[in-house]
Amino acid sequence: AVVTCVANELHQIGAKMVADVFELNGWDTRFLGANTPSDDLLDLLGREEPDLLGISLSIYFNLPQLIDLINRVRARFPRLEIVVGGQAFRWGGVEALYEYSGVSYVPSLRDLESLIQTETANV
């Protein structure tokens, strides 16, 4: 799994916790941290070919950057599973994710663990 924050996001604690949950459940995980440039992320995805991309969004006003990133990832990696979460969704925006197949909103670390266990069972 690769876990990152969208460009202009400087809050990385939640994303780091997500990366740790993946690792605690046996996944090899790359944590990229805050303010990850989209082009760099896309290059890394091409090199690493992960099974899953986790994206954190802390600031609601960065929702357009998230949607742009999802569109760019989908254009190059149409089958890559994407999970999205973060405090920004307390103010809305989840409905914007519904138009994408293979993109899941994960509202809590408990929900993330359930998702990971389901994914691991399917491998």
Side-chain angles (χ1 to χ4, degrees):
V2 171
V3 179
T4 189
C5 302
V6 297
N8 298 320
E9 283 281 336
L10 302 177
H11 298 86
Q12 67 180 20
I13 293 172
K16 177 61 175 139
M17 291 168 60
V18 166
D20 290 346
V21 169
F22 273 106
E23 293 220 350
L24 288 169
N25 282 277
W27 286 60
D28 291 326
T29 305
R30 261 251 192 177
F31 174 62
L32 303 182
N35 198 22
T36 303
S38 297
D39 290 338
D40 293 344
L41 172 62
L42 293 170
D43 290 343
L44 181 121
L45 294 175
R47 286 192 313 274
E48 299 285 327
E49 299 181 1
D51 294 320
L52 186 138
L53 171 63
I55 307 171
S56 174
L57 185 70
S58 296
I59 308 296
Y60 179 76
F61 296 109
N62 288 330
L63 185 62
Q65 284 91 328
L66 172 66
I67 298 304
D68 179 64
L69 178 60
I70 291 172
N71 285 325
R72 293 181 70 189
V73 169
R74 272 289 159 262
R76 285 191 50 192
F77 310 100
R79 292 193 173 99
L80 179 60
E81 290 293 318
I82 300 172
V83 295
V84 178
Q87 292 298 308
F89 294 103
R90 295 174 79 190
W91 290 271
V94 174
E95 63 281 349
L97 305 175
Y98 296 155
E99 72 177 78
Y100 299 98
S101 65
V103 175
S104 302
Y105 168 64
V106 181
S108 71
L109 291 176
R110 182 173 291 132
D111 292 318
L112 177 65
E113 275 208 292
S114 295
L115 177 79
I116 290 170
Q117 291 168 359
T118 300
E119 289 289 322
T120 303
N122 291 333
V123 175

